[in-house]
Amino acid sequence: MADPDLDFTSGDAGASTTYPMQCSALRKNGFVVLKGRPCKIVEMSTSKTGKHGHAKVHMVGIDIFTNKKYEDICPSTHNMDVPNIKRNDYQLVDISEGFLSLMMDNGDVREDLRVPEGDLGKEIESKFAASEEMLVTVLSAMGEESAVAVKPMTK
Amino acid sequence: MMAAVGAPEVISQLESAAKVLMAPPSMVSTEQRQHAEHIFLSFRKSKSPFAICKHILETSKVDYVLFQAATAIMEAVVREWILLEKSSIESLRTFLLTYVLQRPNLQKYVREQILLAVAVIVKRGSLDKSINCKSIFHEVSQLISSGNPTVQTLACSILTALLSEFSSSSKTSNIGLSMEFHGSCKRVFQEDDLRQIFMLTMEVLQEFSRRENLNAQMSCVFQRYLALANQVLSWNFLPPNLGRHYIAMFEATQNVMLKPTESWRETLLDHRVMDLFFTVHRKIREDSDMAQDSLQCLAQLASMHGPIFPDENAQVTYLAHLVEGLLSMINGIEIEDSEAVGISSIISNLISTFPRSVLTALPNELFASFINCLTLLTCSFGRSAALEEVLDKDDMVYMEAYDKLLESWLTLVQEDEHFPRGCFVQPAVQVFNSYIQCHLAAPDGTRNLTANGVASHEEEEINELQEDDRELFSDQLASIGMLGRIAADHCIPLLTGLLEDRVTRLHGQLQRHQQHLMASADPGTVERKVLDDLYEDIHWLILVSGYLLADDPQGETPLIPSEVMEYSIKHSTEVDINTTLQLLGSPGEKATSIPGCNRTDSVIRLLSAVLRTSEVESRATRASLTELLSPQMGKDIVWFLRRWAKTYLLVDEKLYSQISIPLSTAFGADTEGAQWIVGYLLEKVINNLSVWSSESELANDTVELLVTLVEKRERANIVVQCENWWNLAKQFASRSPPLHMLSSTVQRTLMKALVLGGFAHMDSDTKQQYWAEVLHPLQQRFLNLINQENFAQICQEEAVKQEIVATLEALCGIAEATQIDNVASLFSFLMDFLSSCIGLMEVYRNSPETVNLIIEVFVEVAHKQICYLGETKSMKLYEVCLTLLQVYSKNNLGRKRLDVAAEEDQYQDLLLIMELLTNLLSKEFIDFSDTDEVFRGQEQSSGAGRPVSAADVVLYGVNIVLPLMSQDLLKFPSLCNQYYKLITFICEIFPEKIPQLPEELFKSLMCSLELGMTSMSSEISQLCLEALSPLAEQCAKTQEKDTPLFIATRHFLKLVFDMLVLQKHNTEMTVAAGEALYTLVCLHQVEYSELVETLLSNQRDAVIYQRLADAFNSLTASSTPPTMDRKQKVAFLKSLEEFVANVGGLLCVK
């Protein structure tokens, strides 16, 4: 989705977007890649086939960008991919044509992120219209980015 | 007669409403249904509906309307009892009874409801001297003697209705009678009327049992009277002097044992009663429904105890008769499936009820036959239970029966010194053998064999919620283990032999697999069946061995069971100690290959059989056969070793009157054996943690074994001398594989164990070195990381995040290791981290999973340490907790998130915060701190003793989090409970702080209380009511009027008043609400009088007005003027109960 030319997070260019982890070491509320999508684990349980069988892990995850639900089951010895997750707060400076203008720490402004859909987007727009100052949290994982939270500026 | 005016309209309205209610859901709308329900509700509330109800009963053809009319009569009679003429009540009762008698074809539910109304009238009248309802028994006995089955059935229904009305307290709140009233009625009833019912029932049963052939209709009547007899014998006799609070508790007991009052002596000690039930059972035992009732009657008779027996002789005679009857009933019959549970209840009741002295006073032969019969039944039920498991039946009757009998054995043999010596050995051998046989695979055993000998073997999916067998069957295993001790001479060698054999076979099987794998390199072809059978055999053998050799008492030091100790001592002369030690020390060799292996201590040999199993497992993992192994067996092994180590390792001779030389030589303090085995266990733990990281339950059991090894100073002293221990510590500190692959809970517990080990005895250099290896790397790595200049930039990198998470997990583990003797050093260590953690809260404010973990660290530290901290240290902890809350609040107020997990995340945070505050508050009632002892030399006397109170901190904390608690969040029950517990705590412990709260906080606190009182569950409502009294008392103390608290309590007075007087409420709540009301009345007497006045002035009916006015007068009569005096309060509460019983219903009338 993101235009590579507009990638400002140059610090980790080329770094892997995921890393492997043994299934049994994953935890609820943590993250995992299910069906190729970065997910937050909302449910985790184990089972086995027969009393002397080996553990299998059953996971239910929610796509952190689309909120879609995914499930998977695999032997607990397997390695799963875990997405690298980043969250950054930026100050909102403008909204134009459905895109947010966000000021980065170094003073640069990026304008590549859409106003999110639904209630959060409406909240951002109405607060912006009321000229309230606010911070927008941007979540990024596996090359995708999205605004996920908003908070009024303190101080 | 007024009410009869317009009767046809009322009836037609009710009938059409009934039609709506009875219509299928698709035919009527929800509104129509609600409207119809409303019509019936208001009909039942109408004033004096007697005439119209009679009219309805006589004319309407709609059953449901008849039912409602009966209900209306019942409710109105109780409501208006005092206003009614006694003669009209009596004629009403006669009318109802005659009505039913004349209409044999009434629908069952209508008939039962009318009879219930009769029963309620009889009960309400039973304490009222002005009315006599006794004639009902005369009428009933005439019905019974009619010989007409229909009439007899009706008579039975009447008796059943009376019985349930008088027995059950759950009915009381429905008709608005107080507990005390209920109790008095019940006492009068059980002395006389109940016995009359019983006698009538016995007559009927006698009559029927004499008849040769019973037709279907008669046998139906028979069944009803049998059920009635069972109800009488299950009567929960109310002892003469039981306070009203206990009545409710008493009534709630299940499985009532028969404890009749003395007046029943003649009736129940008559042998003919018991004989009749045996006769009845013989007659009907093939009818499974009736058989359950007749056996239940016998089981109740077997539980009989108390003042009914004049002396022990009477008990012996009674028991002997019972046992004789039982034996002759069982002998020579094939027991039906439906009889198993009933028969085992009879046996388990008599064994648990009759004192040992009575059992031993039975004639010898009778006692021997009884034990013999019990043995055969136990074995037979055990086999049938195993069959049930194979067939996967839903209804496990034999399993239930088997459980009961095994429990009875436990009761018997636990006090076996009362019985002839050795009398239980042979039975124990038989029961033990049959248990083992049922749990082993063919050919030795019968596991998974169906009745005709066909093996069944299926692999089912087992989820993590299913309990492990060691828990699921803990009761059975405890009994079998106990029986195994009684017959130790037989059972210990048996288990050893079987286990050694299975281990040898397992070893061979694994070797064959390995060769096979090397040849074909295809694990898919491996046949698991043989292996799984061996694993299952070993599983049960280890479980039984564990339960036989040791107990697992919570919290105390378990002792070696005396039977096991005696067994070892008895054979110690035949034992060669060196061979025993050699056997113990060579788990890699076959036991039988050791020369002289038969001259070894059997207790040690059983342990070493488990060690041999463990060794085969470990070697298989080294040979990369882990995939073929059973994680379940791995769990069994470490579970056994943990249980064993707690009891036998470093056995303390001082705790025993006699000690076995082999045991003390092998495992005593300062022995090579003990050192060797500690080393062996440690190696096992380390191996497991690296091989089994993917099996979290097994890893968990393993790390718990490690905790057991270090939590006792004596054991820890040996552990820290092992090089392996240091390797483990270093490896964990370096966060290298494979330990970092363990689940977070296992890592925490591992950290806990490593910290506990650090407090073992070591010279100071070694100790310093140990901490340098274990704790300091943690600190160093953490500080290096967070002090990096670009930490803010790199903090989101995965490696950094993982390091942080691992550190936080380790901190939780360290906190868990807190004990009174290490709290000083651990607290200082953890405090440094806590301050840095606050910084992390800022850095990771956007990662809910990290924030949550940080709060958890604080919760753990507060939970484990606050009770030991002196003033200065507590202050420090309070401060850092407050800062944490401030930062949390700043970062979350006004924040809005998009994702679905947002609410769940916040819920988890707030739950932890409530827990943190409750933990801090607990300092006020659990405080072990003794500055001198624990922090010798560390605690400087800090200035002029600043008054530190947890309340200040907690209130401040509540102030911070309260704005975050939305009504939606309160819908999470656990959060809601925790929140209300916390605020009730605050009000109860620090009422004086409440008036000083900032205005906003005060307001939200009062709002919370009101909300909790009026619109939450009854449990929450009760908590809030309990918070009110201390607040009102606080106001009374300061005597200041017009403070916000004073005004708030005035508002609460009205709320509680309405709740008690005008609304239908739970009777359990009357006490809490009453106490609150009384203190509030004391405080606001004028307002209370106003409330009463307003209420009275709304009454138009002069009679009701007078009655209410009288009731209010007598409510406060004993406490005028009301003062905060305990005695007056108690008097008020007592009158309140009467008040609610007398006028409670009246005020709800519309």
Side-chain angles (χ1 to χ4, degrees):
Chain A
M1 252 220 334
D3 186 340
D5 288 340
L6 289 170
D7 185 5
F8 290 92
T9 52
S10 48
D12 58 356
S16 164
T17 58
T18 64
Y19 61 97
M21 196 182 228
Q22 182 169 296
C23 203
S24 56
L26 294 171
R27 49 164 76 214
K28 198 187 161 201
N29 293 334
F31 298 91
V32 72
V33 179
L34 295 178
K35 310 269 165 5
R37 298 292 306 163
C39 293
K40 181 181 174 97
I41 305 173
V42 290
E43 246 179 79
M44 233 176 112
S45 60
T46 58
S47 67
K48 56 184 179 180
T49 307
K51 204 191 278 178
H52 302 283
H54 290 238
K56 290 174 292 188
V57 179
H58 179 224
M59 276 165 292
V60 180
I62 293 201
D63 189 320
I64 55 175
F65 293 113
T66 66
N67 284 342
K68 264 195 203 142
K69 202 176 197 179
Y70 294 98
E71 292 187 46
D72 200 3
I73 187 162
C74 72
S76 67
T77 47
H78 273 208
N79 279 334
M80 299 286 287
D81 283 334
V82 177
N84 287 322
I85 305 278
K86 281 198 165 54
R87 297 185 190 80
N88 287 302
D89 283 355
Y90 303 117
Q91 190 185 342
L92 179 70
V93 288
D94 194 14
I95 298 180
S96 65
E97 291 166 24
F99 281 87
L100 303 166
S101 298
L102 301 170
M103 187 156 73
M104 322 247 304
D105 290 344
N106 59 8
D108 292 348
V109 173
R110 58 183 294 189
E111 299 175 310
D112 59 328
L113 282 173
R114 282 185 183 282
V115 175
E117 289 170 9
D119 290 346
L120 185 69
K122 284 186 197 123
E123 170 127 357
I124 294 179
E125 279 170 341
S126 70
K127 283 201 169 147
F128 182 72
S131 49
E132 282 179 46
E133 299 210 301
M134 62 196 131
L135 289 173
V136 173
T137 305
V138 175
L139 176 74
S140 57
M142 297 172 75
E144 222 170 295
E145 277 187 295
S146 169
V148 293
V150 62
K151 185 185 182 319
M153 292 260 278
T154 41
K155 284 173 271 183
Chain B
M1 290 306 103
M2 284 238 315
V5 173
E9 292 86 64
V10 176
I11 295 181
S12 73
Q13 191 193 20
L14 291 175
E15 285 181 351
S16 55
K19 213 178 269 170
V20 172
L21 285 180
M22 293 295 152
S26 55
M27 302 292 287
V28 289
S29 70
T30 324
E31 291 80 48
Q32 282 175 306
R33 194 173 290 277
Q34 277 170 351
H35 179 67
E37 277 167 7
H38 181 75
I39 288 178
F40 280 114
L41 276 180
S42 58
F43 166 65
R44 276 167 30 198
K45 282 182 184 165
S46 55
K47 214 178 131 199
S48 295
F50 305 109
I52 182 113
C53 284
K54 276 188 189 176
H55 189 67
I56 292 173
L57 286 172
E58 272 159 350
T59 55
S60 179
K61 299 270 181 300
V62 182
D63 294 327
Y64 188 72
V65 174
L66 298 179
F67 174 85
Q68 289 288 348
T71 314
I73 291 181
M74 175 169 75
E75 291 178 358
V77 167
V78 176
R79 201 166 55 219
E80 300 180 19
W81 187 267
I82 296 184
L83 307 173
L84 290 170
E85 290 289 331
K86 299 308 166 218
S87 58
S88 59
I89 297 178
E90 231 155 311
S91 76
L92 193 62
R93 183 183 72 82
T94 318
F95 165 78
L96 291 173
L97 212 52
T98 323
Y99 178 83
V100 175
L101 274 174
Q102 286 168 348
R103 290 171 181 77
N105 296 324
L106 272 182
Q107 279 290 332
K108 186 164 180 276
Y109 77 99
V110 177
R111 184 173 59 231
E112 305 275 308
Q113 191 69 4
I114 294 175
L115 292 178
L116 185 64
V118 173
V120 165
I121 294 174
V122 173
K123 177 168 180 177
R124 183 64 182 90
S126 68
L127 288 190
D128 200 330
K129 297 268 170 352
S130 56
I131 183 166
N132 182 11
C133 294
K134 288 272 159 139
S135 61
I136 192 157
F137 291 103
H138 181 66
E139 291 158 34
V140 170
S141 73
Q142 279 184 329
L143 298 180
I144 289 177
S145 55
S146 72
N148 174 346
T150 320
V151 178
Q152 285 176 323
T153 307
L154 181 68
C156 186
S157 298
I158 298 172
L159 294 178
T160 310
L162 281 170
L163 208 60
S164 24
E165 192 48 47
F166 275 90
S167 73
S168 144
S169 61
S170 57
K171 294 253 164 58
T172 50
S173 56
N174 289 348
I175 60 170
L177 295 174
S178 76
M179 255 338 191
E180 198 156 77
F181 180 88
H182 168 74
S184 319
C185 288
K186 188 173 177 181
R187 276 196 195 96
V188 172
F189 183 77
Q190 72 191 16
E191 284 307 309
D192 199 14
D193 302 342
L194 182 65
R195 201 169 52 247
Q196 274 196 48
I197 295 181
F198 186 65
M199 301 301 283
L200 287 173
T201 311
M202 292 301 286
E203 275 167 35
V204 179
L205 292 182
Q206 188 99 45
E207 162 77 21
F208 278 102
S209 66
R210 273 200 219 106
R211 300 213 186 149
E212 279 303 316
N213 294 310
L214 291 175
N215 62 30
Q217 200 190 10
M218 281 155 105
S219 117
C220 195
V221 178
F222 192 12
Q223 178 166 7
R224 299 202 48 164
Y225 277 91
L226 187 56
L228 182 62
N230 185 11
Q231 246 183 306
V232 176
L233 291 173
S234 306
W235 184 264
N236 199 352
F237 280 87
L238 207 54
N241 308 307
L242 198 64
R244 65 197 157 89
H245 287 296
Y246 293 101
I247 293 178
M249 221 154 64
F250 185 80
E251 295 286 354
T253 40
Q254 288 179 335
N255 292 337
V256 178
M257 300 292 228
L258 179 58
K259 193 179 180 185
T261 49
E262 212 178 308
S263 64
W264 282 70
R265 190 172 286 165
E266 217 173 296
T267 315
L268 283 177
L269 288 189
D270 185 342
H271 282 177
R272 282 172 302 181
V273 169
M274 199 192 289
D275 291 341
L276 178 59
F277 284 105
F278 280 120
T279 314
V280 166
H281 181 69
R282 261 191 214 100
K283 198 173 174 76
I284 50 83
R285 56 181 286 265
E286 271 146 26
D287 177 326
S288 63
D289 288 336
M290 285 176 83
Q292 260 167 28
D293 272 322
S294 58
L295 288 174
Q296 187 54 35
C297 287
L298 286 165
Q300 287 306 113
L301 289 173
S303 75
M304 193 160 85
H305 62 292
I308 187 158
F309 291 112
D311 52 31
E312 204 171 276
N313 269 341
Q315 261 184 306
V316 175
T317 318
Y318 180 84
L319 180 64
H321 196 74
L322 176 68
V323 172
E324 273 164 18
L326 180 68
L327 291 181
S328 71
M329 183 182 92
I330 296 173
N331 286 336
I333 62 166
E334 183 131 348
I335 291 177
E336 305 270 337
D337 293 356
S338 53
E339 289 179 302
V341 174
I343 289 178
S344 59
S345 301
I346 300 176
I347 294 175
S348 97
N349 277 358
L350 81 84
I351 287 178
S352 57
T353 310
F354 287 88
R356 305 303 84 166
S357 53
V358 173
L359 275 172
T360 48
L362 289 178
N364 286 343
E365 232 168 88
L366 184 62
F367 182 72
S369 322
F370 173 64
I371 293 301
N372 189 33
C373 169
L374 176 56
T375 311
L376 293 177
L377 274 184
T378 312
C379 296
S380 145
F381 286 177
R383 281 189 294 274
S384 305
L387 279 180
E388 277 175 346
E389 278 206 298
V390 177
L391 300 176
D392 209 8
K393 284 197 178 173
D394 285 339
D395 196 10
M396 307 270 277
V397 288
Y398 283 106
M399 188 59 92
E400 192 187 337
Y402 190 46
D403 282 343
K404 275 182 198 276
L405 292 189
L406 284 180
E407 201 188 304
S408 304
W409 277 110
L410 195 60
T411 318
L412 270 182
V413 300
Q414 264 170 352
E415 300 170 51
D416 72 337
E417 69 270 24
H418 296 278
F419 295 101
R421 208 176 147 69
C423 76
F424 293 131
V425 174
Q426 272 317 306
V429 167
Q430 287 184 51
V431 174
F432 190 89
N433 281 352
S434 99
Y435 188 87
I436 296 293
Q437 196 183 34
C438 289
H439 287 85
L440 292 184
D444 289 346
T446 57
R447 188 183 66 231
N448 281 335
L449 291 189
T450 55
N452 48 17
V454 181
S456 104
H457 185 79
E458 45 182 289
E459 301 268 331
E460 45 171 353
E461 280 300 304
I462 300 174
N463 67 29
E464 62 184 353
L465 298 175
Q466 193 160 332
E467 272 184 307
D468 196 287
D469 286 341
R470 69 187 188 222
E471 315 288 320
L472 193 59
F473 296 104
S474 61
D475 290 344
Q476 281 190 8
L477 286 162
S479 297
I480 293 298
M482 191 66 199
L483 291 172
R485 291 174 198 172
I486 296 286
D489 267 311
H490 167 80
C491 299
I492 292 181
L494 176 73
L495 285 175
T496 311
L498 288 167
L499 191 52
E500 284 175 356
D501 169 73
R502 296 306 184 273
V503 173
T504 310
R505 274 156 59 182
L506 177 62
H507 189 201
Q509 197 64 24
L510 287 170
Q511 274 179 330
R512 269 189 294 284
H513 277 301
Q514 191 183 21
Q515 283 155 8
H516 183 77
L517 282 176
M518 286 199 292
S520 75
D522 176 14
T525 60
V526 166
E527 167 64 83
R528 291 275 310 198
K529 168 87 175 71
V530 180
L531 276 179
D532 278 354
D533 271 346
L534 283 170
Y535 290 141
E536 186 69 0
D537 279 8
I538 292 172
H539 168 65
W540 288 107
L541 290 169
I542 291 183
L543 290 190
V544 173
S545 303
Y547 274 89
L548 191 159
L549 287 183
D551 296 314
D552 188 16
Q554 302 295 316
E556 336 165 22
T557 311
L559 292 179
I560 297 174
S562 57
E563 297 87 355
V564 176
M565 183 68 93
E566 276 161 32
Y567 169 69
S568 176
I569 293 171
K570 193 170 85 184
H571 294 281
S572 56
T573 50
E574 314 146 21
V575 161
D576 183 278
I577 301 258
N578 286 331
T579 319
T580 305
L581 291 178
Q582 191 194 344
L583 179 98
L584 175 67
S586 54
E589 285 168 49
K590 246 172 88 168
T592 45
S593 68
I594 294 166
C597 67
N598 291 329
R599 299 196 54 216
T600 51
D601 179 87
S602 297
V603 179
I604 297 179
R605 185 157 170 185
L606 181 51
L607 161 73
S608 65
V610 179
L611 293 181
R612 283 175 162 71
T613 323
S614 157
E615 189 60 22
V616 167
E617 186 199 32
S618 296
R619 288 184 182 189
T621 61
R622 275 176 241 135
S624 307
L625 295 175
T626 312
E627 239 175 286
L628 291 178
L629 288 171
S630 155
Q632 176 68 55
M633 181 182 78
K635 276 169 72 180
D636 298 332
I637 292 170
V638 282
W639 166 83
F640 175 93
L641 293 174
R642 180 170 179 229
R643 197 174 168 110
W644 176 86
K646 278 185 179 175
T647 312
Y648 289 82
L649 187 55
L650 303 181
V651 51
D652 182 356
E653 300 189 17
K654 289 195 292 294
L655 298 174
Y656 300 90
S657 56
Q658 48 174 0
I659 191 116
S660 139
I661 302 297
L663 292 184
S664 69
T665 317
F667 313 123
D670 303 320
T671 58
E672 271 179 48
Q675 261 167 31
W676 176 82
I677 198 147
V678 166
Y680 184 84
L681 295 180
L682 206 51
E683 201 181 305
K684 181 75 192 171
V685 167
I686 292 170
N687 190 53
N688 271 7
L689 290 182
S690 60
V691 180
W692 292 116
S693 62
S694 61
E695 294 288 335
S696 51
E697 287 177 19
L698 171 50
N700 212 33
D701 281 346
T702 301
V703 80
E704 287 297 341
L705 169 62
L706 189 67
V707 170
T708 299
L709 288 180
V710 290
E711 73 188 348
K712 278 268 167 115
R713 196 56 64 83
E714 305 80 46
R715 295 197 284 259
N717 291 345
I718 303 184
V719 171
V720 296
Q721 287 167 25
C722 297
E723 210 182 310
N724 264 337
W725 171 258
W726 290 70
N727 292 337
L728 179 68
K730 276 183 232 174
Q731 201 184 36
F732 187 62
S734 71
R735 298 229 174 87
S736 48
L739 295 181
H740 79 296
M741 280 168 17
L742 292 165
S743 72
S744 64
T745 37
V746 175
Q747 292 202 32
R748 268 186 210 191
T749 317
L750 181 53
M751 187 73 226
K752 170 184 170 184
L754 289 173
V755 171
L756 283 174
F759 294 95
H761 176 77
M762 291 179 256
D763 62 55
S764 59
D765 284 353
T766 320
K767 192 157 250 178
Q768 219 171 359
Q769 194 197 338
Y770 183 79
W771 290 122
E773 309 248 13
V774 176
L775 290 187
H776 293 170
L778 189 74
Q779 204 164 23
Q780 221 42 59
R781 294 166 66 119
F782 182 68
L783 291 178
N784 289 347
L785 187 63
I786 60 170
N787 290 334
Q788 281 182 41
E789 263 174 48
N790 63 343
F791 180 60
Q793 277 94 57
I794 60 167
C795 68
Q796 301 235 22
E797 280 172 19
E798 267 323 309
V800 177
K801 271 204 265 187
Q802 283 184 36
E803 178 72 32
I804 294 291
V805 167
T807 308
L808 294 172
E809 291 284 356
L811 293 178
C812 289
I814 295 172
E816 273 180 44
T818 305
Q819 292 175 341
I820 185 150
D821 51 1
N822 64 21
V823 65
S825 42
L826 290 188
F827 178 74
S828 313
F829 181 81
L830 287 170
M831 268 316 279
D832 295 342
F833 277 96
L834 293 189
S835 321
S836 319
C837 281
I838 306 266
L840 288 183
M841 281 290 273
E842 279 290 355
V843 177
Y844 287 102
R845 61 183 179 274
N846 283 328
S847 322
E849 62 283 359
T850 316
V851 168
N852 198 266
L853 193 54
I854 295 173
I855 306 176
E856 207 179 337
V857 173
F858 282 73
V859 171
E860 282 299 320
V861 174
H863 175 54
K864 290 292 181 179
Q865 306 205 321
I866 187 88
C867 59
Y868 301 119
L869 301 181
E871 205 171 89
T872 325
K873 306 260 183 226
S874 307
M875 196 62 201
K876 269 189 170 171
L877 186 57
Y878 293 155
E879 273 165 11
V880 72
C881 287
L882 278 186
T883 321
L884 173 89
L885 296 179
Q886 279 160 344
V887 173
Y888 181 83
S889 162
K890 176 174 78 75
N891 288 336
N892 285 281
L893 256 187
R895 185 170 151 84
K896 188 135 195 165
R897 274 170 61 189
L898 167 76
D899 50 320
V900 275
E903 194 178 49
E904 168 90 11
D905 281 336
Q906 182 138 51
Y907 152 70
Q908 286 176 358
D909 290 347
L910 287 177
L911 190 60
L912 281 175
I913 290 176
M914 292 295 153
E915 221 176 296
L916 176 63
L917 294 175
T918 314
N919 286 345
L920 292 178
L921 196 55
S922 73
K923 176 79 176 165
E924 295 294 324
F925 41 87
I926 308 169
D927 192 349
F928 303 130
S929 71
D930 179 347
T931 11
D932 295 336
E933 271 304 310
V934 182
F935 290 95
R936 191 188 299 277
Q938 285 198 27
E939 186 100 350
Q940 299 135 9
S941 50
S942 55
R946 227 173 341 161
V948 184
S949 127
D952 296 322
V953 188
V954 173
L955 284 172
Y956 193 62
V958 170
N959 197 11
I960 290 172
V961 284
L962 213 55
L964 296 170
M965 289 285 279
S966 65
Q967 291 228 15
D968 276 343
L969 280 170
L970 280 179
K971 285 184 187 132
F972 286 98
S974 47
L975 186 61
C976 185
N977 266 332
Q978 187 83 33
Y979 173 69
Y980 277 105
K981 240 184 251 167
L982 183 67
I983 61 176
T984 306
F985 257 5
I986 296 173
C987 293
E988 283 184 335
I989 311 178
F990 312 106
E992 73 279 5
K993 301 277 181 193
I994 305 291
Q996 302 158 14
L997 294 177
E999 197 187 335
E1000 278 306 307
L1001 177 57
F1002 178 79
K1003 268 191 199 152
S1004 26
L1005 206 62
M1006 292 302 125
C1007 279
S1008 288
L1009 279 179
E1010 180 171 349
L1011 189 70
M1013 229 174 82
T1014 52
S1015 37
M1016 300 277 173
S1017 69
S1018 69
E1019 195 188 335
I1020 302 281
S1021 176
Q1022 206 162 336
L1023 277 176
C1024 293
L1025 285 167
E1026 281 165 19
L1028 290 180
S1029 297
L1031 293 184
E1033 280 163 20
Q1034 175 61 26
C1035 276
K1037 233 183 268 169
T1038 55
Q1039 299 216 323
E1040 282 171 61
K1041 308 261 153 111
D1042 301 327
T1043 61
L1045 184 62
F1046 189 81
I1047 295 164
T1049 51
R1050 203 156 62 201
H1051 175 62
F1052 282 121
L1053 171 70
K1054 167 114 179 72
L1055 280 180
V1056 179
F1057 183 84
D1058 286 356
M1059 184 174 179
L1060 264 174
V1061 177
L1062 296 179
Q1063 292 150 16
K1064 237 186 167 175
H1065 61 273
N1066 218 320
T1067 19
E1068 298 153 33
M1069 220 112 86
T1070 313
V1071 176
E1075 286 195 27
L1077 179 66
Y1078 185 71
T1079 37
L1080 291 167
V1081 167
C1082 292
L1083 195 61
H1084 303 284
Q1085 295 175 20
V1086 180
E1087 285 79 5
Y1088 169 72
S1089 312
E1090 279 170 20
L1091 283 174
V1092 174
E1093 279 308 314
T1094 320
L1095 187 75
L1096 287 176
S1097 64
N1098 286 336
Q1099 297 301 326
R1100 306 227 174 83
D1101 188 317
V1103 183
I1104 293 184
Y1105 177 92
Q1106 197 48 49
R1107 216 185 124 197
L1108 269 178
D1110 291 348
F1112 273 114
N1113 279 337
S1114 57
L1115 176 62
T1116 42
S1118 55
S1119 43
T1120 321
T1123 54
M1124 306 253 183
D1125 168 85
R1126 210 188 115 67
K1127 224 164 125 193
Q1128 283 200 6
K1129 185 158 140 188
V1130 172
F1132 177 84
L1133 287 177
K1134 206 165 150 44
S1135 344
L1136 181 67
E1137 272 197 25
E1138 273 159 36
F1139 176 87
V1140 172
N1142 277 331
V1143 298
L1146 203 67
L1147 288 167
C1148 295
V1149 184
K1150 280 272 139 55

